[in-house]
Amino acid sequence: MLVDGEIFRTLLGSGAQSALPAEPEREADPKLTLGRLLKEGGMRRKPERLYRLFGEEVSLEALRTLPAFQLFEAELVEAIRAVARSQGWPR
């Protein structure tokens, strides 16, 4: 949720200057950080009500900057390839 600045601009307006962490995966309490950033940007809603929006709107390009996502994606691709091989693909 802390990797895609575009979502923050969508929520808080084009003038929002959210100070997203340089290394989001190192945040000890990312939900607390998210709440703080939203509050500083003038958001009155509880952050929990926005989790779905963040999940639906986050860009893959932004996620791919995170080491944990890179590992997840590589493992997912390999799992899909293994399933495909077990089914006789490519034919």
Side-chain angles (χ1 to χ4, degrees), residues 1 4 7 34 50-60 63:
M1 290 186 275
D4 192 346
I7 297 173
L34 174 65
L50 300 170
Y51 293 168
R52 181 176 174 183
L53 173 73
F54 277 92
E56 291 173 349
E57 298 297 324
V58 67
S59 75
L60 286 176
L63 286 173

Side-chain angles (χ1 to χ4, degrees), residues 11-88:
L11 286 171
L12 305 174
S14 59
Q17 296 297 318
S18 296
L20 295 179
E23 296 182 62
E25 293 178 316
R26 291 184 174 243
E27 288 295 304
D29 190 342
K31 290 179 182 178
L32 184 65
T33 302
L34 174 65
R36 179 183 53 77
L37 291 172
L38 293 172
K39 186 176 180 180
E40 288 172 359
M43 179 62 61
R44 300 269 184 243
R45 290 164 138 186
K46 291 185 177 185
E48 298 82 19
R49 294 179 164 235
L50 300 170
Y51 293 168
R52 181 176 174 183
L53 173 73
F54 277 92
E56 291 173 349
E57 298 297 324
V58 67
S59 75
L60 286 176
E61 292 79 22
L63 286 173
R64 286 181 175 129
T65 67
L66 301 172
F69 187 82
Q70 293 168 13
L71 178 60
F72 164 75
E73 190 172 40
E75 290 175 349
L76 179 61
V77 166
E78 183 50 40
I80 291 169
R81 286 182 178 150
V83 169
R85 284 190 301 271
S86 74
Q87 299 297 313

